[in-house]
Amino acid sequence: MENPFDDDYFMRKALQEAEYAFDRGEIPVGALIVIDNRIIARAHNLTELLTDVTAHAEMQAITAASNFLGGKYLVNCTLYVTLEPCQMCAGALYWSQISKIVYGARDHERGCIALKTKLHPKTVMIGGILAEESAQLLKRFFIEKRNLN
Ligand SMILES: [Zn+2]
């Protein structure tokens, strides 16, 4: 039997978080942290609400997951995020020692791949899961924002 809890399943949920961000006028990036097929953190970008450039979805998710687990290391956890992590978030993920990162769309300019940010040696990263949907949501956001100004 096929596992219903695959990367697509969790990325769909991360995309829901990105849509919440969109509806609140935040750059639409959503993130989840999962352990044993269980979601232990859900977050979206909050940089506008908190007036804080560090309030990326991944940063919120790392804090929430650590609180949930009662430990600072996210061993055996997977982060799902709709956009490739930036160097700040990749740096924070390094410290968390997270086991796996799954991202949606690539960020060719500010992503950790282009900027060669080092991940933790224990961390595996894969991308391109629901990449098109994730990228389209961001695109729509910036088009609407431009039209409002
Ligand atoms: Zn980031």
Side-chain angles (χ1 to χ4, degrees), residues 43-130:
H44 56 78
N45 184 40
L46 289 174
T47 50
E48 296 300 325
L49 181 74
L50 301 178
T51 336
D52 181 355
V53 293
T54 71
H56 286 185
E58 300 95 311
M59 304 296 275
Q60 317 286 325
I62 291 167
T63 304
S66 300
N67 286 340
F68 178 87
L69 294 171
K72 61 189 172 191
Y73 297 121
L74 301 179
V75 178
N76 300 322
C77 292
T78 301
L79 169 83
Y80 289 88
V81 60
T82 57
L83 180 66
E84 179 195 333
C86 72
Q87 53 184 344
M88 170 182 71
C89 293
L93 289 161
Y94 177 101
W95 292 114
S96 79
Q97 301 187 14
I98 196 158
S99 297
K100 194 174 169 192
I101 299 169
V102 181
Y103 67 84
R106 264 297 289 278
D107 185 345
H108 292 283
E109 272 174 56
R110 299 179 190 181
C112 61
I113 298 168
L115 297 175
K116 298 187 169 63
T117 314
K118 230 180 156 169
L119 295 173
H120 194 277
K122 288 179 191 156
T123 305
V124 177
M125 183 164 75
I126 65 161
I129 307 296
L130 304 186

